[in-house]
Amino acid sequence: MNIENLNQRWFSLKDDANQTLLDAIKAHGGAYYFVDENDESLAEIDDLSELELPLVDAYTYYKGRQGSFYVTSVILGNHGIEFYGMDEYDCIDFKDAIQLDHVSLGGILDILENLPDPNIK
């Protein structure tokens, strides 16, 4: 079975999603924080799922594993887009957010879906 055409379409879609995210983060001034660790209302939160943060599949070099992570921020760094988040099952303190690597295409789309329009104040 020849899947070369499917691979080309997949990589094209991934490139389009990455470019759309890059443009969106630039429109937000180079960074978007889904949650601010200094927000006093966080003291009332028992579970991160209450915040409706994007939940993505990603690999992280920090913990050396793949898993589900709540995205807390997306930042335009020196080498491109940087994702930060908390492990879905080990999310105790927002100050413990770690850099996420290799966010899946579905995760990129979920992040884009959760980003507010930068033109609406």
Side-chain angles (χ1 to χ4, degrees), residues 17 21 34 52-57 69-71 74 83 103-116:
L21 181 59
F34 288 98
E52 298 181 17
L53 300 171
L55 184 63
V56 304
D57 288 326
F69 298 87
Y70 287 108
V71 176
V74 182
F83 303 91
V103 174
S104 69
L105 174 59
I108 301 278
L109 296 175
D110 195 35
I111 290 168
L112 284 167
E113 200 170 284
N114 282 280
L115 279 173

Side-chain angles (χ1 to χ4, degrees), residues 12 21 26 28 34 36 39 48 52 57-58 69 73 77 89 96 98 100 106 116:
S12 177
L21 181 59
K26 285 180 180 177
H28 279 283
F34 288 98
D36 180 0
D39 187 345
L48 283 180
E52 298 181 17
D57 288 326
F69 298 87
S73 61
Y89 301 108
D96 294 334
I98 58 173
L100 309 176

Side-chain angles (χ1 to χ4, degrees), residues 8-24:
Q8 289 174 350
R9 287 175 40 206
W10 176 260
F11 287 118
S12 177
L13 179 59
K14 189 155 179 14
D15 288 343
D16 289 349
N18 285 331
Q19 186 61 51
T20 302
L21 181 59
L22 178 65
D23 294 343

Side-chain angles (χ1 to χ4, degrees), residues 58-66 69 98-102:
Y59 180 83
T60 173
Y61 293 122
Y62 176 73
K63 288 193 175 187
R65 70 173 197 80
Q66 186 169 344
F69 298 87
I98 58 173
Q99 186 169 355
L100 309 176
D101 305 292
H102 305 291

